[in-house]
Amino acid sequence: VYPPPTLTIGLSTNNSFQLHLRSETGGRYLIQTSSNLLNWSTALTVTNTTGNLLISVPAVNAPWSFYRARKIY
């Protein structure tokens, strides 16, 4: 049994967001984005091959952007 995945966010040197996904090795996830926490859209699908995955996401011109990782079963 693995603990729940964690998704943290930071800024990279090229003005994009950098998401850090920590999860079980080989886990498949939808990386989703929302501007209001109600409506979510899938930005990309990833497989965390090492348990620690860095994902660069371009900065968007919006007042708020939220991100989440959803496990694909």
Side-chain angles (χ1 to χ4, degrees):
V1 176
Y2 293 97
T6 60
L7 185 68
T8 56
I9 191 167
L11 287 175
S12 68
T13 56
N14 63 355
N15 291 330
S16 66
F17 291 112
Q18 192 168 36
L19 304 175
H20 184 193
L21 175 63
R22 291 183 184 102
S23 68
E24 79 273 11
T25 302
R28 294 184 60 225
Y29 294 87
L30 300 174
I31 304 301
Q32 297 182 316
T33 184
S34 174
S35 61
N36 59 14
L37 293 174
L38 296 174
N39 303 309
W40 292 90
S41 61
T42 299
L44 62 140
T45 302
V46 297
T47 300
N48 196 345
T49 58
T50 64
N52 287 294
L53 182 64
L54 293 176
I55 307 160
S56 290
V57 179
V60 294
N61 189 13
W64 304 102
S65 291
F66 303 96
Y67 295 91
R68 71 179 180 186
R70 292 196 62 195
K71 175 108 170 108
I72 300 172
Y73 291 96

